[in-house]
């Protein structure tokens, strides 16, 4: 197998996002996949659903892995908190694989500053949020 971690200084990031569906076992499998590929980092997403979900979308019913539920309820189900990210930090150190997350709001930025992560990713949808960009900088 090619060790991608040492090819010309390339830093490879596996996009986990919210594909874990709020399940730590799935998150572990995705981290394991990043590690098995010889990649450097597993990247998640961190957002505060009450802040990030537009008011007009919160009560809309959506098809989800748990059936039809309100969009805001879905977003809360897939969002990891302190327990999960503490576990992710410890699990990634064992591999070793870096981890980080895209931040969607100030609350998420403050949350992630409590972790030893190599970078913060700004989601494309937030590239025009100058106050968030200034705070990250």
């Amino acid at each position: 197998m090619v060790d991608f971690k040492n090819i010309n200084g390339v830093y490879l990031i596996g996009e986990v996002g919210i594909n874990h569906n709020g399940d730590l076992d799935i998150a572990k499998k995705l981290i394991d996949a990043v590690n098995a590929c010889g990649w450097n980092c597993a990247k998640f997403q961190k957002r505060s659903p009450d802040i990030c979900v537009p008011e007009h979308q919160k009560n809309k019913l959506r098809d989800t892995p748990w059936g039809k539920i309100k969009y805001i309820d879905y977003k809360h189900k897939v969002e990891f908190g302190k327990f999960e990210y503490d576990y992710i930090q410890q699990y990634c150190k064992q591999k070793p694989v870096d981890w980080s997350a895209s931040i969607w709001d100030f609350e998420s930025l403050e949350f992630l500053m409590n972790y030893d992560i190599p970078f913060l990713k700004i989601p494309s949808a937030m590239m025009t949020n100058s106050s968030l960009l200034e705070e990250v900088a």
Side-chain angles (χ1 to χ4, degrees), residues 35-54:
N35 186 53
C37 289
W39 289 20
N40 303 88
C41 183
K43 192 197 68 67
F44 295 82
Q45 292 183 17
K46 180 65 180 150
R47 67 184 89 197
S48 305
D50 294 323
I51 296 169
C52 292
V53 175

Side-chain angles (χ1 to χ4, degrees), residues 9 26 36 38 51 63 67 69 77-78 104 117 124 127 133:
I26 295 172
I51 296 169
D63 289 318
I69 61 174
K77 279 183 170 285
V78 299
W104 288 77
I117 54 178
S124 300
M127 291 304 296
L133 293 172

Side-chain angles (χ1 to χ4, degrees), residues 48-105:
S48 305
D50 294 323
I51 296 169
C52 292
V53 175
E55 286 299 323
H56 70 280
Q57 292 286 323
K58 287 183 178 177
N59 290 317
K60 286 192 175 187
L61 292 179
R62 299 286 175 104
D63 289 318
T64 75
W66 306 277
K68 271 196 182 215
I69 61 174
K70 292 179 188 177
Y71 188 55
I72 189 70
D73 295 336
Y74 162 72
K75 293 308 267 183
H76 278 287
K77 279 183 170 285
V78 299
E79 191 60 46
F80 281 162
K82 183 175 179 349
F83 174 83
E84 293 85 4
Y85 279 113
D86 286 353
Y87 187 89
I88 287 167
Q89 174 119 340
Q90 177 245 358
Y91 192 75
C92 284
K93 281 184 183 178
Q94 292 173 3
K95 292 294 155 194
V97 170
D98 292 339
W99 75 274
S100 191
S102 297
I103 56 161
W104 288 77
D105 54 76

Side-chain angles (χ1 to χ4, degrees), residues 3 25 31 34 36 49-50 67 104-105:
D3 182 4
D25 287 331
I31 292 165
V34 167
D50 294 323
W104 288 77
D105 54 76

